[in-house]
Coordinates of all heavy atoms in Angstrom, one line a residue:
G1 N -222.6 -117.4 77.4 CA -221.9 -117.8 78.7 C -220.7 -117.2 79.0 O -220.4 -116.8 80.2
M2 N -219.8 -117.0 78.0 CA -218.5 -116.5 78.2 C -218.7 -115.0 78.6 O -217.9 -114.5 79.4 CB -217.7 -116.5 77.0 CG -217.2 -118.1 76.7 SD -216.2 -118.7 78.1 CE -214.8 -117.6 78.2
M3 N -219.6 -114.3 78.0 CA -219.9 -112.9 78.3 C -220.2 -112.7 79.8 O -219.6 -111.9 80.5 CB -220.9 -112.2 77.4 CG -221.1 -110.8 77.6 SD -219.7 -109.8 77.2 CE -219.5 -110.0 75.4
H4 N -221.0 -113.5 80.3 CA -221.5 -113.5 81.6 C -220.3 -113.8 82.5 O -220.0 -113.0 83.5 CB -222.6 -114.6 81.9 CG -223.1 -114.5 83.3 ND1 -222.5 -115.1 84.4 CD2 -224.3 -114.1 83.7 CE1 -223.3 -114.8 85.4 NE2 -224.3 -114.3 85.1
E5 N -219.5 -114.7 82.2 CA -218.2 -115.0 83.0 C -217.2 -113.8 83.0 O -216.8 -113.5 84.1 CB -217.6 -116.2 82.4 CG -216.4 -116.8 83.1 CD -216.7 -117.4 84.5 OE1 -217.9 -117.9 84.6 OE2 -215.8 -117.6 85.2
V6 N -217.0 -113.3 81.8 CA -216.0 -112.2 81.9 C -216.5 -111.0 82.6 O -215.7 -110.4 83.4 CB -215.8 -111.8 80.4 CG1 -215.0 -110.5 80.2 CG2 -215.0 -112.9 79.6
I7 N -217.7 -110.6 82.5 CA -218.2 -109.4 83.2 C -218.2 -109.9 84.7 O -217.9 -109.0 85.6 CB -219.6 -109.1 82.7 CG1 -219.5 -108.6 81.2 CG2 -220.2 -108.0 83.5 CD1 -218.6 -107.3 81.0
S8 N -218.7 -111.0 85.1 CA -218.8 -111.4 86.4 C -217.4 -111.2 87.2 O -217.2 -110.6 88.2 CB -219.4 -112.8 86.6 OG -220.7 -112.8 86.3
R9 N -216.4 -111.8 86.5 CA -215.1 -111.8 87.0 C -214.6 -110.5 87.2 O -213.9 -110.0 88.2 CB -214.1 -112.7 86.2 CG -214.3 -114.1 86.4 CD -213.3 -114.9 85.5 NE -213.5 -116.3 85.7 CZ -212.6 -117.2 85.5 NH1 -211.4 -116.8 85.2 NH2 -212.9 -118.5 85.5
R10 N -214.7 -109.6 86.2 CA -214.2 -108.3 86.1 C -214.8 -107.4 87.3 O -214.1 -106.8 88.1 CB -214.4 -107.6 84.8 CG -213.9 -106.1 84.8 CD -212.4 -106.1 84.8 NE -212.0 -104.7 84.6 CZ -211.1 -104.1 85.3 NH1 -210.3 -104.7 86.0 NH2 -210.8 -102.8 84.9
L11 N -216.1 -107.5 87.3 CA -216.8 -106.7 88.4 C -216.5 -107.2 89.8 O -216.2 -106.4 90.7 CB -218.3 -106.7 88.1 CG -218.8 -106.0 86.9 CD1 -220.3 -106.1 86.8 CD2 -218.4 -104.4 87.0
Q12 N -216.4 -108.5 89.9 CA -216.1 -109.2 91.3 C -214.7 -108.7 91.7 O -214.5 -108.4 92.8 CB -216.2 -110.6 91.2 CG -216.1 -111.3 92.6 CD -217.2 -110.9 93.5 OE1 -218.4 -111.0 93.2 NE2 -216.9 -110.2 94.6
R13 N -213.8 -108.7 90.8 CA -212.4 -108.3 91.1 C -212.4 -106.7 91.6 O -211.8 -106.5 92.6 CB -211.5 -108.4 90.0 CG -210.0 -108.1 90.3 CD -209.1 -108.5 89.1 NE -208.1 -107.4 89.1 CZ -208.1 -106.5 88.2 NH1 -208.8 -106.6 87.1 NH2 -207.2 -105.5 88.2
L14 N -213.1 -106.0 90.8 CA -213.2 -104.5 91.3 C -213.8 -104.3 92.6 O -213.3 -103.6 93.4 CB -214.0 -103.7 90.2 CG -213.3 -103.6 88.9 CD1 -214.3 -102.9 87.8 CD2 -212.1 -102.8 88.9
L15 N -214.8 -105.1 92.8 CA -215.6 -105.0 94.2 C -214.6 -105.6 95.3 O -214.5 -105.0 96.3 CB -216.9 -105.8 94.2 CG -217.9 -105.3 93.2 CD1 -219.0 -106.3 93.0 CD2 -218.5 -104.0 93.9
N16 N -214.0 -106.7 95.0 CA -213.0 -107.3 96.0 C -211.9 -106.3 96.4 O -211.4 -106.3 97.5 CB -212.5 -108.6 95.6 CG -213.5 -109.7 95.5 OD1 -214.6 -109.5 96.1 ND2 -213.2 -110.8 94.8
E17 N -211.5 -105.6 95.4 CA -210.2 -104.7 95.6 C -210.7 -103.3 96.0 O -209.9 -102.4 96.0 CB -209.4 -104.7 94.3 CG -208.8 -106.1 94.1 CD -208.0 -106.1 92.8 OE1 -207.9 -105.1 92.1 OE2 -207.5 -107.3 92.5
D18 N -212.0 -103.1 96.2 CA -212.6 -101.8 96.6 C -212.2 -100.7 95.5 O -211.9 -99.6 95.9 CB -212.1 -101.4 97.9 CG -213.1 -100.3 98.5 OD1 -214.2 -100.3 98.1 OD2 -212.7 -99.6 99.4
E19 N -212.2 -101.1 94.3 CA -211.8 -100.1 93.2 C -213.0 -99.5 92.6 O -214.3 -99.9 92.9 CB -211.1 -100.9 92.0 CG -209.8 -101.5 92.3 CD -208.8 -100.5 92.4 OE1 -208.9 -99.4 91.8 OE2 -207.7 -100.7 93.2
D20 N -212.9 -98.4 91.9 CA -214.1 -97.8 91.3 C -214.7 -98.5 90.1 O -213.9 -99.3 89.4 CB -213.6 -96.4 90.7 CG -213.3 -95.4 91.7 OD1 -213.7 -95.5 92.9 OD2 -212.4 -94.5 91.3
L21 N -216.1 -98.6 90.1 CA -216.7 -99.3 89.0 C -216.7 -98.5 87.8 O -216.7 -97.3 87.9 CB -218.1 -99.8 89.4 CG -218.1 -100.6 90.7 CD1 -219.6 -100.9 91.1 CD2 -217.5 -102.1 90.3
P22 N -216.8 -99.1 86.6 CA -216.8 -98.4 85.4 C -218.0 -97.4 85.2 O -219.1 -97.7 85.8 CB -216.8 -99.4 84.3 CG -217.1 -100.7 84.9 CD -216.9 -100.5 86.5
D23 N -217.8 -96.3 84.5 CA -219.0 -95.3 84.2 C -219.9 -96.0 83.1 O -221.0 -95.7 83.0 CB -218.4 -94.0 83.8 CG -217.6 -93.2 84.9 OD1 -218.0 -93.5 86.1 OD2 -216.7 -92.7 84.6
L24 N -219.3 -96.8 82.3 CA -220.0 -97.4 81.1 C -219.3 -98.6 80.8 O -218.1 -98.7 80.6 CB -220.1 -96.4 80.0 CG -220.7 -96.9 78.7 CD1 -222.1 -97.1 78.8 CD2 -220.4 -95.9 77.5
I25 N -220.1 -99.7 80.4 CA -219.5 -100.9 79.9 C -220.0 -101.0 78.4 O -221.2 -101.0 78.2 CB -219.9 -102.2 80.7 CG1 -219.2 -102.1 82.1 CG2 -219.4 -103.4 80.0 CD1 -219.6 -103.2 83.0
V26 N -219.1 -101.1 77.5 CA -219.5 -101.2 76.0 C -219.2 -102.7 75.7 O -218.1 -103.2 75.8 CB -218.8 -100.4 75.1 CG1 -219.1 -100.5 73.7 CG2 -218.9 -98.9 75.5
I27 N -220.3 -103.4 75.4 CA -220.2 -104.8 75.1 C -220.0 -105.0 73.5 O -220.8 -104.4 72.7 CB -221.5 -105.6 75.5 CG1 -221.7 -105.5 77.0 CG2 -221.5 -107.1 75.1 CD1 -220.6 -106.0 77.9
D28 N -219.1 -105.8 73.1 CA -218.9 -106.1 71.7 C -219.9 -107.2 71.4 O -219.7 -108.5 71.5 CB -217.5 -106.7 71.5 CG -217.2 -106.9 70.1 OD1 -217.9 -106.4 69.2 OD2 -216.2 -107.6 69.8
G29 N -221.1 -106.8 70.8 CA -222.1 -107.7 70.4 C -223.4 -107.1 70.6 O -223.5 -105.9 70.9
G30 N -224.5 -107.8 70.2 CA -225.8 -107.3 70.1 C -226.7 -107.6 71.4 O -226.1 -107.7 72.5
E31 N -227.9 -107.9 71.1 CA -228.9 -108.1 72.2 C -228.5 -109.3 73.1 O -228.5 -109.1 74.4 CB -230.2 -108.3 71.5 CG -231.4 -108.5 72.5 CD -232.6 -108.8 71.9 OE1 -232.7 -109.0 70.6 OE2 -233.6 -108.9 72.7
V32 N -228.1 -110.4 72.6 CA -227.9 -111.6 73.5 C -226.7 -111.3 74.3 O -226.7 -111.6 75.6 CB -227.6 -112.9 72.5 CG1 -227.2 -113.9 73.4 CG2 -228.9 -113.1 71.8
Q33 N -225.6 -110.8 73.8 CA -224.4 -110.6 74.5 C -224.6 -109.5 75.7 O -224.2 -109.6 76.8 CB -223.2 -110.1 73.7 CG -222.7 -111.2 72.8 CD -223.4 -111.3 71.5 OE1 -224.5 -110.6 71.2 NE2 -223.1 -112.3 70.7
L34 N -225.4 -108.5 75.3 CA -225.7 -107.5 76.3 C -226.5 -108.0 77.4 O -226.4 -107.7 78.6 CB -226.4 -106.3 75.6 CG -226.8 -105.1 76.5 CD1 -225.6 -104.5 77.2 CD2 -227.6 -104.0 75.7
D35 N -227.5 -108.9 77.1 CA -228.3 -109.5 78.1 C -227.6 -110.3 79.0 O -227.8 -110.2 80.3 CB -229.4 -110.5 77.4 CG -230.6 -109.7 76.8 OD1 -230.7 -108.5 77.0 OD2 -231.3 -110.4 76.0
R36 N -226.5 -111.1 78.6 CA -225.7 -111.8 79.5 C -224.9 -111.0 80.3 O -224.7 -111.3 81.5 CB -224.8 -112.9 78.7 CG -225.5 -113.8 77.8 CD -226.5 -114.8 78.7 NE -227.4 -115.4 77.8 CZ -228.6 -114.9 77.5 NH1 -229.1 -113.8 77.9 NH2 -229.4 -115.7 76.7
A37 N -224.3 -109.8 79.8 CA -223.6 -108.9 80.7 C -224.4 -108.3 81.7 O -224.0 -108.2 82.8 CB -222.9 -107.9 79.7
T38 N -225.6 -107.9 81.4 CA -226.4 -107.2 82.4 C -226.9 -108.3 83.4 O -227.0 -107.9 84.6 CB -227.7 -106.6 81.8 OG1 -228.4 -107.5 81.0 CG2 -227.3 -105.4 81.0
E39 N -227.0 -109.6 83.1 CA -227.4 -110.5 84.0 C -226.2 -110.8 85.1 O -226.4 -111.0 86.2 CB -227.6 -111.9 83.3 CG -229.0 -112.0 82.6 CD -229.1 -113.2 81.7 OE1 -228.3 -114.1 81.8 OE2 -230.2 -113.2 81.0
A40 N -225.0 -110.7 84.5 CA -223.8 -110.8 85.3 C -223.8 -109.7 86.4 O -223.5 -110.0 87.6 CB -222.6 -110.8 84.5
A41 N -224.1 -108.5 85.9 CA -224.1 -107.3 86.7 C -225.2 -107.5 87.9 O -224.9 -107.2 89.0 CB -224.1 -106.0 86.1
L42 N -226.3 -107.9 87.5 CA -227.4 -108.1 88.4 C -227.1 -109.1 89.4 O -227.4 -109.0 90.6 CB -228.7 -108.5 87.7 CG -229.4 -107.4 86.9 CD1 -230.5 -107.9 86.0 CD2 -229.9 -106.3 87.8
S43 N -226.3 -110.2 89.0 CA -226.0 -111.3 89.9 C -225.1 -110.8 91.0 O -225.0 -111.3 92.2 CB -225.5 -112.5 89.2 OG -224.2 -112.2 88.8
L44 N -224.5 -109.7 90.8 CA -223.5 -109.1 91.8 C -224.1 -107.8 92.4 O -223.4 -107.0 93.1 CB -222.2 -108.7 91.1 CG -221.4 -109.9 90.7 CD1 -220.2 -109.4 89.8 CD2 -220.9 -110.8 91.8
E45 N -225.4 -107.6 92.2 CA -226.2 -106.5 92.7 C -225.6 -105.2 92.2 O -225.5 -104.2 93.0 CB -226.3 -106.6 94.2 CG -227.0 -107.9 94.7 CD -227.0 -108.0 96.1 OE1 -226.5 -107.1 96.9 OE2 -227.7 -109.0 96.6
Q46 N -225.2 -105.1 90.9 CA -224.6 -103.9 90.4 C -225.3 -103.5 89.2 O -224.9 -103.2 88.1 CB -223.1 -104.1 90.0 CG -222.2 -104.6 91.2 CD -222.2 -103.5 92.2 OE1 -222.1 -102.2 91.9 NE2 -222.3 -103.9 93.5
S47 N -226.7 -103.4 89.3 CA -227.6 -103.0 88.2 C -227.5 -101.6 87.8 O -228.1 -101.1 86.8 CB -229.0 -103.4 88.6 OG -229.4 -102.7 89.7
N48 N -226.7 -100.8 88.6 CA -226.6 -99.4 88.3 C -225.5 -99.0 87.3 O -225.4 -97.9 86.9 CB -226.3 -98.6 89.6 CG -225.1 -99.0 90.3 OD1 -224.7 -100.3 90.2 ND2 -224.5 -98.1 91.1
I49 N -224.8 -100.0 86.9 CA -223.7 -99.7 85.9 C -224.3 -99.6 84.4 O -224.8 -100.7 84.0 CB -222.6 -100.8 85.9 CG1 -221.9 -100.9 87.3 CG2 -221.5 -100.5 84.8 CD1 -221.1 -102.0 87.6
P50 N -224.2 -98.5 83.8 CA -224.8 -98.4 82.4 C -224.1 -99.3 81.4 O -222.7 -99.4 81.5 CB -224.6 -96.9 82.0 CG -224.2 -96.2 83.3 CD -223.7 -97.3 84.2
M51 N -224.7 -100.0 80.6 CA -224.2 -100.8 79.6 C -224.8 -100.6 78.3 O -226.1 -100.3 78.2 CB -224.3 -102.3 80.0 CG -223.5 -102.7 81.2 SD -223.8 -104.6 81.2 CE -223.1 -104.7 82.9
I52 N -224.1 -100.8 77.2 CA -224.7 -100.8 75.8 C -224.0 -102.0 75.1 O -222.8 -102.4 75.4 CB -224.5 -99.5 75.1 CG1 -223.0 -99.1 74.9 CG2 -225.3 -98.4 75.8 CD1 -222.7 -97.9 74.0
G53 N -224.6 -102.4 74.1 CA -224.0 -103.4 73.1 C -223.8 -102.7 71.8 O -224.7 -102.0 71.3
L54 N -222.6 -102.9 71.2 CA -222.3 -102.4 69.9 C -222.1 -103.6 68.9 O -221.2 -104.3 69.0 CB -221.0 -101.6 70.0 CG -220.4 -100.9 68.6 CD1 -221.6 -100.0 68.1 CD2 -219.2 -100.2 68.9
A55 N -223.2 -103.7 68.1 CA -223.3 -104.7 67.0 C -222.5 -104.1 65.9 O -223.1 -103.4 65.2 CB -224.6 -105.2 66.8
K56 N -221.4 -104.7 65.6 CA -220.6 -104.1 64.6 C -221.0 -104.3 63.1 O -220.6 -103.6 62.3 CB -219.1 -104.5 64.8 CG -218.5 -103.9 66.0 CD -217.1 -104.2 66.2 CE -216.6 -103.7 67.5 NZ -215.3 -104.2 67.8
K57 N -221.8 -105.4 62.9 CA -222.2 -105.7 61.5 C -222.9 -104.4 60.9 O -222.5 -104.0 59.8 CB -223.2 -106.9 61.5 CG -223.4 -107.3 60.2 CD -224.2 -108.7 60.2 CE -224.3 -109.3 58.8 NZ -225.0 -110.6 58.9
R58 N -223.7 -103.9 61.6 CA -224.5 -102.7 61.1 C -224.2 -101.5 61.9 O -224.9 -100.4 61.7 CB -226.0 -103.0 61.1 CG -226.4 -104.1 60.0 CD -227.9 -104.1 59.9 NE -228.3 -105.3 59.2 CZ -229.1 -106.2 59.6 NH1 -229.8 -105.9 60.7 NH2 -229.4 -107.2 59.0
E59 N -223.3 -101.6 62.8 CA -223.0 -100.4 63.8 C -224.3 -100.0 64.5 O -224.6 -98.8 64.6 CB -222.4 -99.3 63.0 CG -221.1 -99.6 62.2 CD -219.9 -99.9 63.2 OE1 -220.0 -99.7 64.4 OE2 -218.9 -100.5 62.6
E60 N -225.0 -101.0 65.1 CA -226.2 -100.7 65.8 C -225.8 -100.6 67.3 O -225.0 -101.5 67.7 CB -227.3 -101.6 65.5 CG -227.7 -101.6 64.1 CD -228.7 -102.7 63.8 OE1 -228.5 -103.9 64.2 OE2 -229.6 -102.5 62.9
I61 N -226.6 -99.8 68.1 CA -226.4 -99.8 69.6 C -227.6 -100.4 70.3 O -228.8 -99.9 70.0 CB -226.1 -98.4 70.0 CG1 -224.8 -97.9 69.3 CG2 -226.0 -98.2 71.5 CD1 -224.5 -96.4 69.6
Y62 N -227.3 -101.3 71.1 CA -228.4 -101.9 71.9 C -228.4 -101.4 73.3 O -227.3 -101.2 73.8 CB -228.3 -103.4 72.0 CG -228.6 -104.1 70.6 CD1 -227.7 -104.1 69.6 CD2 -229.9 -104.6 70.5 CE1 -228.0 -104.7 68.4 CE2 -230.2 -105.2 69.3 CZ -229.2 -105.3 68.3 OH -229.6 -105.9 67.0
F63 N -229.5 -101.1 73.9 CA -229.6 -100.8 75.3 C -230.4 -101.9 76.0 O -231.2 -102.7 75.5 CB -230.5 -99.5 75.4 CG -229.7 -98.3 75.0 CD1 -229.8 -97.8 73.6 CD2 -228.9 -97.5 75.8 CE1 -229.1 -96.7 73.1 CE2 -228.2 -96.4 75.2 CZ -228.3 -96.1 74.0
P64 N -230.0 -102.1 77.3 CA -230.6 -103.2 78.1 C -232.2 -103.1 78.1 O -232.7 -102.0 78.3 CB -230.1 -103.0 79.5 CG -228.8 -102.3 79.3 CD -229.0 -101.4 78.1
G65 N -232.8 -104.2 77.9 CA -234.3 -104.2 78.0 C -235.0 -103.7 76.6 O -236.2 -103.8 76.6
E66 N -234.2 -103.3 75.7 CA -234.8 -102.8 74.4 C -234.5 -103.8 73.3 O -233.3 -104.1 73.0 CB -234.4 -101.4 74.2 CG -234.8 -100.3 75.2 CD -234.5 -99.0 74.8 OE1 -234.4 -98.6 73.6 OE2 -234.4 -98.2 75.7
K67 N -235.5 -104.2 72.5 CA -235.3 -105.1 71.5 C -234.9 -104.5 70.2 O -234.3 -105.1 69.4 CB -236.7 -106.0 71.2 CG -237.1 -106.7 72.4 CD -236.3 -107.9 72.7 CE -236.8 -108.6 73.8 NZ -235.9 -109.8 74.3
I68 N -235.3 -103.3 70.0 CA -234.9 -102.6 68.8 C -233.6 -101.8 68.9 O -233.6 -100.8 69.9 CB -236.1 -101.7 68.2 CG1 -237.3 -102.7 68.0 CG2 -235.6 -101.0 67.0 CD1 -238.5 -101.9 67.7
P69 N -232.6 -101.9 68.2 CA -231.4 -101.1 68.4 C -231.5 -99.7 67.7 O -232.5 -99.4 67.0 CB -230.4 -102.0 67.5 CG -231.1 -102.7 66.5 CD -232.5 -103.0 67.1
Y70 N -230.6 -98.9 68.1 CA -230.6 -97.6 67.6 C -229.5 -97.5 66.6 O -228.3 -98.1 66.8 CB -230.3 -96.5 68.7 CG -231.3 -96.4 69.7 CD1 -231.5 -97.2 70.8 CD2 -232.2 -95.4 69.6 CE1 -232.7 -97.2 71.7 CE2 -233.2 -95.1 70.5 CZ -233.5 -96.2 71.6 OH -234.5 -95.9 72.4
S71 N -229.7 -96.7 65.6 CA -228.7 -96.6 64.5 C -228.3 -95.1 64.4 O -229.2 -94.2 64.5 CB -229.3 -97.0 63.2 OG -229.4 -98.5 63.1
F72 N -227.1 -94.8 64.3 CA -226.6 -93.5 64.1 C -225.7 -93.3 63.0 O -225.2 -94.3 62.4 CB -225.8 -93.0 65.4 CG -226.7 -93.2 66.7 CD1 -226.7 -94.2 67.5 CD2 -227.5 -92.0 67.1 CE1 -227.4 -94.3 68.7 CE2 -228.3 -92.1 68.1 CZ -228.2 -93.2 69.0
D73 N -225.5 -92.1 62.5 CA -224.5 -91.9 61.4 C -223.2 -92.5 61.8 O -222.7 -92.1 62.8 CB -224.4 -90.3 61.2 CG -223.4 -90.0 60.1 OD1 -222.9 -90.9 59.4 OD2 -223.2 -88.8 60.0
I74 N -222.8 -93.4 61.0 CA -221.4 -94.1 61.4 C -220.3 -93.2 61.4 O -219.2 -93.5 62.0 CB -221.1 -95.3 60.5 CG1 -220.9 -94.8 59.0 CG2 -222.2 -96.3 60.6 CD1 -220.5 -95.9 58.1
N75 N -220.4 -91.9 60.8 CA -219.2 -91.0 60.8 C -219.4 -90.0 61.9 O -218.6 -89.0 61.9 CB -219.1 -90.4 59.4 CG -218.7 -91.4 58.4 OD1 -217.8 -92.2 58.6 ND2 -219.5 -91.3 57.2
S76 N -220.4 -90.1 62.7 CA -220.6 -89.0 63.7 C -219.5 -89.3 64.8 O -219.0 -90.3 65.0 CB -221.9 -89.2 64.4 OG -222.0 -90.5 65.2
P77 N -219.1 -88.1 65.5 CA -218.2 -88.3 66.6 C -218.4 -89.3 67.6 O -217.6 -90.0 68.0 CB -218.1 -86.8 67.2 CG -218.6 -85.9 66.1 CD -219.7 -86.8 65.4
A78 N -219.7 -89.4 68.0 CA -220.1 -90.4 69.1 C -219.8 -91.8 68.5 O -219.3 -92.7 69.3 CB -221.5 -90.2 69.4
M79 N -220.2 -92.2 67.3 CA -219.8 -93.5 66.7 C -218.5 -93.7 66.6 O -217.9 -94.9 66.8 CB -220.7 -93.7 65.5 CG -222.2 -93.8 65.6 SD -222.6 -95.2 66.8 CE -222.2 -96.6 65.8
R80 N -217.7 -92.7 66.2 CA -216.2 -93.0 66.1 C -215.7 -93.2 67.4 O -214.8 -94.1 67.5 CB -215.6 -91.8 65.4 CG -215.8 -91.7 63.9 CD -215.0 -90.7 63.2 NE -215.8 -89.4 63.6 CZ -215.3 -88.2 63.3 NH1 -214.3 -88.0 62.7 NH2 -216.0 -87.1 63.6
L81 N -216.0 -92.6 68.4 CA -215.6 -92.8 69.8 C -215.9 -94.3 70.2 O -215.1 -95.0 70.8 CB -216.2 -91.9 70.7 CG -215.9 -92.1 72.4 CD1 -214.4 -91.9 72.5 CD2 -216.7 -91.1 73.2
L82 N -217.3 -94.7 70.0 CA -217.6 -96.0 70.4 C -216.8 -97.1 69.6 O -216.5 -98.1 70.2 CB -219.1 -96.3 70.1 CG -220.0 -95.6 71.2 CD1 -221.4 -95.7 70.8 CD2 -219.7 -96.0 72.6
R83 N -216.5 -97.0 68.3 CA -215.8 -98.0 67.6 C -214.4 -98.0 68.0 O -213.8 -98.9 68.1 CB -215.9 -97.6 66.1 CG -217.2 -97.9 65.5 CD -217.1 -98.0 63.9 NE -216.4 -96.8 63.3 CZ -217.2 -95.7 62.9 NH1 -218.4 -95.6 63.0 NH2 -216.6 -94.8 62.4

């Protein structure tokens, strides 16, 4: 519930202030947290914002609508950037 609230408030503030929306939202968490964040964006009709979830326990990346996470080399430049 808190993830939905945080994302809703942030996006609503950006919309109210006519600010640019983010190019990517990285959620600290896995499938459940990402689902709540995408629901928040959908409730504001902002389904075009890319989001991923970064589950830190195993350094897995979740994409909306996909149940199976992706795993990458934890020492790769991309994973270092995300962490």
Side-chain angles (χ1 to χ4, degrees):
M2 289 302 296
M3 185 61 69
H4 188 282
E5 182 72 20
V6 168
I7 296 299
S8 291
R9 285 184 183 202
R10 177 69 174 145
L11 291 178
Q12 188 63 61
R13 187 175 134 250
L14 292 172
L15 292 167
N16 289 345
E17 296 176 2
D18 200 28
E19 295 286 333
D20 291 336
L21 295 173
D23 294 324
L24 173 68
I25 296 177
V26 179
I27 301 299
D28 183 13
E31 180 183 4
V32 173
Q33 292 84 359
L34 182 59
D35 285 347
R36 298 306 163 266
T38 55
E39 287 170 6
L42 285 171
S43 71
L44 295 170
E45 299 178 356
Q46 299 301 315
S47 60
N48 57 333
I49 300 173
M51 292 188 196
I52 61 170
L54 180 59
K56 292 185 180 170
K57 188 173 189 178
R58 293 190 194 128
E59 302 292 345
E60 297 172 323
I61 298 175
Y62 287 84
F63 290 89
E66 296 187 23
K67 300 288 182 193
I68 300 173
Y70 290 81
S71 296
F72 299 95
D73 177 6
I74 62 171
N75 295 315
S76 70
M79 287 303 294
R80 285 187 285 173
L81 174 67
L82 289 174
R83 284 196 311 268

